Amino acid sequence: MPISFDSLLKTQFIANRILATLALMTIFLLSSFTIRSQQQQTKSQQQLKLAAGIAKLGYWQLDNSGHLQLSPEAARLIHQPGHSNISQQHFVSLFIAQQQNTLNQALNNSLSHQAPLDGEFSMIGTDGPHRIRIMAHHDARLPTQIQGVIQDVNDSKLVEANLAEAQRRSHYMAESTHQFMWTVTAEGSIDSVSELTVAFFGKPAAHVRQHWIELLHPEDQARVQERWLYSIKTGDAYSDEYRLRRFDNEYIWFLAQASPIRNEQGQITKWYGSSININQIKMLQQQSETLSLQLQNTLDSITDAFFTLNSNLRFNYVNNQAVTLLNTPRSILLNDKGIENTDIDPTGAMLKKLSLALAQQQVISFEHFYEAKQLWLDIKIYPSSKGLTVYLRDITRQRRESEELKLLRSAVSQLNDVVIITEAPRYAHEKPNIVFVNSAFERITGYNRQEVIGKTLNILHGPKTEKNELNKIKLAYKTWQPIRAQLTQYHKSGREIVLELNSVPIGLTAGWYTHWVSVERDITEEIHIQKQLQLAQRMEAIGQLTGGIAHDFNNLLTVITGNSELLIDELSEKPSLQPLARLISSAAERGAGLTRNLLAFARRQPLSPEAVNINMLIRNMEALLRSSLGNKYQLDLNLSSDIWPVMIDPVQLESSLLNLTLNARDAMPDGGKLMISTERFILLNPDTSSQNEMAAGEYVKIDVMDNGDGIPQDLLDKVFEPFFTTKPTGKGSGLGLSMVFGFIKQSGGNIEVQSEHGHGTRFQLFLPHTDTVSPAAILHDIEAPMPLQNSQQTILVVEDNDLVRQYAISQLRDAGYQVLAAADGHQALNWLASAQQIDLLFTDVLMPGGLSGYELAQQAKQLRKNLPVLYTSGYTEKALTDEEIQNGSIAILNKPYHRAALLNRVAQMLTYKS
């Protein structure tokens, strides 16, 4: 069927439209390609320019005319900005003088002979030479010029030098940290191994270098050799893990690493390698999977709260403790909830810290008070790119303990006892340095903290510090045993102090104690008091012994004295024999004087106290004291005008002062000065006073001070002991000071001595103040008995000593008295209970049988109310009170007594009765 024209036109139209469309598409594609090509070229140029800037490269070209064209980058690199065209001569002058000729020849040679140029030159810089690499090549199309690049290689050279130094340090560190070190030639043969490597294998170094493959575990040999050959072939750094056979045939895992060293041409010249023992790491790796499985359970079972937050600070993990702490179910917390949805942070302070840690990517640690639960929490926040890990630890107890520790530290600082903490040395060369002392240490030793911290306790030691105690302490320190000791130490001023210490080790960690704590009590005063007590006890014991001896001796002297008098009378017709009898009497008198001194020391001598003005007594005996001293001596009296009267025996006090004066004179053989002073003294608290035997009260103090030789310290405690003397033989009896001591003690006072060898001696006498007026004498001595009918008077003599009793009976009967005799108190009571006439009871004070003379007299008063009593004794042992003897209410005849004294005293008693 023929095609119609319309159809033909329509078909032609469609074809034309298709062709036009195709043409447009072709033009579009060509245009797009052209645009993209231009953009790519621009981008490539920019990238090339950027690369040149990063690599510090610049372009240059040099022609036959000697002109050098520089790109902007090249001009900047050689510090010629803005100069794109400079002369060859100027270019060469920019480099150091030693290289200018070499650079100029190289440029000319490259330009004339088309020789390549590649070298490093040092350009003159403000901070010293600057390394520049210059490269050039010849383009055959441009025969009259050369082109090249300039590169700043100064930084890279510094990096290479630093790298080489780092490699040397690495080698040294490897040796010191027990790493295996080895080197390999460029061909792959080991040429050196470290000594540590040789020691590990237990084989010669040559064997290790040649047969190292055989030292690998059989399972590792093929793999290791393959990887090593690959690194040798490619030059890639080598890294591998393998097992090496140790000298004991045990295989140990190592991590081996090696890096090539290249020359300037890029060729490998050496390999440096190291092997690190990773056996423990491998063992840990084997456990890692197990640990990974246990991690979840561990996080849930740890005692502290732990949770993680995502980058939006929403919970994405909470452990069981965190669920309990926040008191919110896990399902709710993990449902897009944050910390603000709990009650732990009502103020938002914790949320701010979480945000800060995430923003700054810094670990933050702080303490937070969980008010709703009254808990203190130690919170640590660990940031990461994906969020935060938060660890919360309950430190409520630690805070409480910290407060208690502060209180304890405050209490320790206020203790009266010294507290010292020292380091516990582990090794012999270490010292137990002081790290802490309390305030009591400063108060007792005189040193402040700054002076002793970091030092040892030797700072307190001195010549009298007990070495045996120090050795005991050192042994305890070595064996970590608590120790108790007593040490003489020294105050900063040099004064001796005695400290009783208790030291214990503390801080046991890893089998070692870290410190020693010593609590030390100042017992200086206590030791002084103990010494005084021991001295007092010793003196008391000596006094009792002395008194007992004096008692028995007086009984003997009574008989000797009395009978010697009778003997003298009987020998009146034999004058040639009377001197012998008088010699016996004189010896007895001297013995009596000796016993009086002994009794004075024993505080048993008979005293006649009266109210005495001490100043007046000293003034009255001043002439005697000066004459006793002599012309070489100066006597100074410093007598206070407002002292109190004292009740004391003035004769014995004068004797005591004279005795002290003579002792002072003997201590100053070349002359010197003696001072006697008086003053009031009030003792308020005897417990804190050195005069520990004195009661609180008012005293008159007499100081007797000389500037003589002094007394050595080791003899001070003995000066009051009877028969002790420092004088040469024959120049002292040793009873002078003991008599003074006994007299002062018996009078209710105290005596102290202070002395230092070469600096004189000071005696202090403390006499108690009294308001008592001296009593009038009840009995007065009479020259002879009043005339009485002695035969009408009966005397009961009670005496346990047979000799003394017989002597007294005979003397009284000779005087005309009727005498009844008793050997003890019980016999005397039998007489007293009878109807026998008894006009006077004459009794010894101390008697056996459990009944003393005083007790006998008391019972006699009940039987015979007005019966007078005359006591006799050579030593009363306090059977009679000092007060009764001193106030005259008791009549006593002291042994040894003479016949006249006996008869006079008996007559007085009978006369008084009449």
Side-chain angles (χ1 to χ4, degrees):
M1 178 177 172
I3 300 175
S4 64
F5 182 72
D6 289 339
S7 298
L8 183 60
L9 288 176
K10 187 176 181 179
T11 301
Q12 186 67 35
F13 177 75
I14 292 172
N16 290 337
R17 291 290 299 273
I18 292 172
L19 290 173
T21 299
L22 291 173
L24 288 173
M25 291 178 65
T26 301
I27 293 171
F28 173 75
L29 292 173
L30 291 173
S31 299
S32 298
F33 177 76
T34 301
I35 292 171
R36 282 197 300 273
S37 297
Q38 290 175 349
Q39 291 175 343
Q40 187 66 33
Q41 183 178 9
T42 302
K43 184 176 181 180
S44 297
Q45 290 175 349
Q46 292 174 346
Q47 291 176 345
L48 182 61
K49 184 175 181 180
L50 178 61
I54 293 174
K56 297 183 179 180
L57 292 171
Y59 171 78
W60 61 273
Q61 70 177 31
L62 176 65
D63 56 25
N64 288 334
S65 63
H67 287 88
L68 200 68
Q69 287 290 123
L70 300 172
S71 69
E73 292 78 8
R76 187 166 56 254
L77 289 175
I78 63 173
H79 307 298
Q80 300 293 316
H83 297 77
S84 59
N85 191 350
I86 62 175
S87 66
Q88 178 180 341
Q89 182 179 0
H90 178 65
F91 176 71
V92 170
S93 68
L94 298 177
F95 295 85
I96 62 176
Q98 296 89 330
Q99 295 181 345
Q100 289 180 5
N101 187 43
T102 303
L103 176 59
N104 195 51
Q105 290 180 358
L107 290 172
N108 292 334
N109 191 37
S110 179
L111 186 63
S112 304
H113 305 289
Q114 294 81 41
L117 172 60
D118 186 355
E120 292 182 4
F121 300 89
S122 297
M123 187 176 67
I124 301 172
T126 57
D127 298 329
H130 203 81
R131 301 292 293 277
I132 297 293
R133 183 181 181 185
I134 301 175
M135 296 172 288
H137 69 279
H138 189 275
D139 190 347
R141 294 173 296 177
L142 300 171
T144 61
Q145 65 180 25
I146 56 175
Q147 304 177 26
V149 295
I150 295 174
Q151 182 180 17
D152 185 349
V153 296
N154 194 69
D155 291 343
S156 63
K157 288 300 178 181
L158 290 176
V159 170
E160 289 177 4
N162 291 337
L163 179 59
E165 178 62 24
Q167 287 175 340
R168 285 191 294 272
R169 286 199 302 268
S170 175
H171 179 78
Y172 172 76
M173 292 173 63
E175 286 290 340
S176 61
T177 55
H178 303 289
Q179 294 185 20
F180 293 176
M181 300 297 298
W182 39 274
T183 60
V184 181
T185 63
E187 294 76 22
S189 299
I190 297 178
D191 60 354
S192 71
V193 293
S194 64
E195 294 181 1
L196 193 63
T197 309
V198 174
F200 176 83
F201 290 114
K203 298 183 181 297
H207 180 86
V208 175
R209 291 196 303 269
Q210 296 171 10
H211 305 284
W212 65 274
I213 287 292
E214 298 174 5
L215 300 174
L216 294 168
H217 193 283
E219 296 177 0
D220 299 338
Q221 290 179 4
R223 171 179 52 81
V224 171
Q225 189 169 24
E226 181 181 351
R227 290 188 180 180
W228 176 241
L229 292 175
Y230 177 80
S231 293
I232 292 295
K233 180 179 179 181
T234 62
D236 294 341
Y238 173 76
S239 179
D240 199 2
E241 296 177 0
Y242 49 69
R243 288 162 287 183
L244 293 174
R245 187 175 70 246
R246 198 166 56 192
F247 63 87
D248 58 359
N249 293 324
E250 182 179 351
Y251 286 96
I252 305 298
W253 277 99
F254 279 86
L255 169 63
Q257 294 177 313
S259 299
I261 302 300
R262 303 176 184 273
N263 59 18
E264 294 180 352
Q265 289 74 34
Q267 298 173 339
I268 295 176
T269 60
K270 198 82 166 177
W271 288 80
Y272 287 92
S274 65
S275 299
I276 305 174
N277 187 331
I278 60 168
N279 200 62
Q280 189 66 28
I281 296 175
K282 277 293 184 180
M283 294 175 63
L284 293 174
Q285 286 178 347
Q286 294 172 3
Q287 300 172 6
S288 62
E289 292 185 2
T290 303
L291 293 175
S292 178
L293 294 175
Q294 295 175 349
L295 178 60
Q296 182 70 32
N297 293 332
T298 301
L299 291 176
D300 281 336
S301 63
I302 61 176
T303 57
D304 298 320
F306 175 88
F307 61 79
T308 59
L309 303 172
N310 61 22
S311 58
N312 295 322
L313 300 182
R314 305 288 98 183
F315 289 106
N316 53 17
Y317 174 79
V318 287
N319 71 347
N320 292 335
Q321 290 297 327
V323 171
T324 303
L325 178 68
L326 299 175
N327 200 26
T328 306
R330 182 182 278 106
S331 58
I332 295 178
L333 292 174
L334 298 180
N335 187 20
D336 199 32
K337 294 295 188 294
I339 202 72
E340 67 276 9
N341 301 117
T342 68
D343 60 356
I344 194 173
D345 186 31
T347 64
M350 183 177 173
L351 181 61
K352 291 180 181 178
K353 287 184 169 58
L354 293 171
S355 302
L356 182 64
L358 183 63
Q360 297 184 350
Q361 288 294 295
Q362 289 183 349
V363 176
I364 294 180
S365 177
F366 60 96
E367 292 183 359
H368 177 75
F369 183 63
Y370 192 170
E371 187 173 1
K373 291 197 171 184
Q374 294 294 299
L375 297 176
W376 277 99
L377 302 174
D378 178 36
I379 300 178
K380 289 183 172 58
I381 307 173
Y382 301 93
S384 69
S385 58
K386 296 181 180 180
L388 300 173
T389 298
V390 184
Y391 184 86
L392 305 93
R393 184 164 58 92
D394 184 357
I395 59 169
T396 307
R397 187 180 68 180
Q398 289 91 322
R399 289 270 301 199
R400 183 171 61 252
E401 291 175 350
S402 177
E403 293 298 324
E404 292 175 354
L405 183 61
K406 290 179 182 178
L407 290 175
L408 178 60
R409 187 183 295 270
S410 176
V412 168
S413 67
Q414 300 301 319
L415 283 177
N416 289 328
D417 290 344
V418 171
V419 178
I420 305 173
I421 302 178
T422 60
E423 295 174 338
R426 293 190 179 187
Y427 307 105
H429 67 277
E430 295 180 344
K431 297 180 179 179
N433 293 327
I434 299 171
V435 298
F436 172 83
V437 294
N438 67 344
S439 299
F441 176 90
E442 296 181 319
R443 184 177 65 255
I444 291 174
T445 68
Y447 291 96
N448 59 45
R449 289 182 176 87
Q450 291 72 24
E451 289 177 307
V452 298
I453 296 299
K455 295 183 174 61
T456 68
L457 289 171
N458 291 341
I459 194 172
L460 300 178
H461 297 169
K464 290 189 179 179
T465 303
E466 296 80 359
K467 290 193 172 11
N468 58 332
E469 291 290 279
L470 291 177
N471 292 333
K472 186 168 69 172
I473 293 172
K474 289 179 182 178
L475 180 60
Y477 276 26
K478 289 181 180 179
T479 56
W480 306 106
Q481 296 298 316
I483 181 66
R484 182 173 183 175
Q486 180 177 306
L487 282 177
T488 300
Q489 312 219 52
Y490 288 82
H491 188 274
K492 185 178 180 181
S493 65
R495 173 173 53 86
E496 291 181 14
I497 53 177
V498 182
L499 298 178
E500 181 183 69
L501 64 89
N502 287 276
S503 293
V504 293
I506 62 170
L508 183 63
T509 56
W512 290 93
Y513 290 97
T514 59
H515 294 85
W516 283 87
V517 175
S518 295
V519 179
E520 305 186 6
R521 185 166 62 93
D522 184 2
I523 59 172
T524 307
E525 186 65 22
E526 183 178 322
I527 293 295
H528 178 67
I529 293 173
Q530 287 178 356
K531 287 183 178 179
Q532 284 191 326
L533 178 60
Q534 291 170 359
L535 176 61
Q537 291 172 341
R538 186 168 75 247
M539 298 295 281
E540 183 68 22
I542 295 174
Q544 291 179 358
L545 176 63
T546 304
I549 294 173
H551 173 267
D552 295 338
F553 197 36
N554 275 333
N555 283 333
L556 297 174
L557 289 174
T558 299
V559 177
I560 296 171
T561 301
N563 284 289
S564 65
E565 289 178 339
L566 294 175
L567 186 60
I568 292 171
D569 292 342
E570 293 294 331
L571 293 176
S572 59
E573 297 179 357
K574 296 181 180 181
S576 61
L577 296 178
Q578 275 191 336
L580 296 176
R582 288 192 177 93
L583 183 62
I584 296 173
S585 178
S586 175
E589 288 296 334
R590 292 184 63 183
L594 179 61
T595 57
R596 280 195 297 273
N597 287 338
L598 291 174
L599 286 172
F601 167 73
R603 313 177 207 176
R604 297 294 180 268
Q605 67 176 332
L607 299 178
S608 300
E610 58 184 72
V612 175
N613 184 309
I614 299 296
N615 287 351
M616 187 178 297
L617 181 144
I618 295 174
R619 289 291 186 191
N620 289 339
M621 65 180 304
E622 180 179 356
L624 175 62
L625 296 178
R626 292 189 184 278
S627 63
S628 299
L629 283 172
N631 296 329
K632 294 191 299 182
Y633 302 90
Q634 176 183 347
L635 174 64
D636 289 343
L637 300 180
N638 183 15
L639 308 179
S640 175
S641 60
D642 60 346
I643 62 172
W644 300 297
V646 297
M647 180 65 74
I648 200 164
D649 188 325
V651 175
Q652 293 295 335
L653 180 58
E654 288 177 351
S655 176
S656 297
L657 291 175
L658 180 59
N659 199 309
L660 293 175
T661 300
L662 295 177
N663 276 349
R665 182 196 65 186
D666 293 342
M668 301 181 291
D670 298 325
K673 178 179 178 181
L674 176 67
M675 174 180 285
I676 300 177
S677 63
T678 60
E679 63 177 338
R680 290 186 178 188
F681 179 81
I682 300 176
L683 179 61
L684 298 177
N685 186 358
D687 293 334
T688 59
S689 171
S690 61
Q691 292 85 20
N692 60 309
E693 294 186 9
M694 295 168 57
E698 298 174 339
Y699 294 83
V700 172
K701 185 176 72 168
I702 305 175
D703 273 331
V704 181
M705 294 175 287
D706 65 63
N707 59 353
D709 294 335
I711 305 172
Q713 293 294 313
D714 56 340
L715 300 180
L716 275 180
D717 292 343
K718 301 180 180 180
V719 295
F720 295 124
E721 294 182 4
F723 306 113
F724 176 82
T725 180
T726 58
K727 298 177 182 178
T729 304
K731 290 192 175 182
S733 65
L735 288 174
L737 287 178
S738 61
M739 183 195 71
V740 175
F741 175 85
F743 162 65
I744 296 298
K745 290 289 187 179
Q746 188 175 355
S747 301
N750 193 45
I751 181 170
E752 291 187 348
V753 58
Q754 300 172 358
S755 185
E756 186 175 349
H757 191 59
H759 293 83
T761 302
R762 176 186 186 186
F763 285 92
Q764 292 180 298
L765 282 63
F766 298 88
L767 306 177
H769 163 224
T770 181
D771 294 324
T772 305
V773 178
S774 299
I778 296 176
L779 300 175
H780 301 278
D781 290 335
I782 56 177
E783 301 238 347
M786 292 179 64
L788 294 172
Q789 296 298 323
N790 295 346
S791 59
Q792 299 175 359
Q793 297 174 310
T794 302
I795 301 172
L796 175 59
V797 176
V798 187
E799 171 65 57
D800 63 291
N801 188 285
D802 294 338
L803 295 176
V804 177
R805 186 172 65 251
Q806 293 300 324
Y807 169 73
I809 291 172
S810 66
Q811 298 304 309
L812 291 171
R813 283 177 177 170
D814 288 346
Y817 294 103
Q818 299 292 322
V819 180
L820 303 175
D824 58 41
H826 298 289
Q827 292 181 14
L829 285 176
N830 291 333
W831 282 112
L832 292 168
S834 68
Q836 173 68 44
Q837 175 188 343
I838 299 176
D839 297 294
L840 174 65
L841 174 62
F842 180 41
T843 178
D844 192 7
V845 176
L846 296 178
M847 293 184 296
L851 195 65
S852 69
Y854 182 76
E855 293 168 339
L856 171 63
Q858 298 303 310
Q859 295 187 35
K861 295 283 187 182
Q862 297 176 3
L863 296 172
R864 303 186 182 218
K865 184 175 181 180
N866 296 319
L867 179 67
V869 179
L870 175 61
Y871 295 98
T872 182
S873 180
Y875 173 55
T876 64
E877 184 57 33
K878 293 188 180 286
L880 302 177
T881 64
D882 292 336
E883 181 181 355
E884 289 175 311
I885 295 174
Q886 291 175 7
N887 64 24
S889 63
I890 288 179
I892 185 168
L893 177 63
N894 294 294
K895 297 178 182 178
Y897 50 79
H898 297 279
R899 177 174 180 271
L902 170 63
L903 297 179
N904 280 341
R905 182 63 68 170
V906 169
Q908 287 177 353
M909 298 298 296
L910 293 173
T911 303
Y912 178 70
K913 176 184 177 183
S914 300

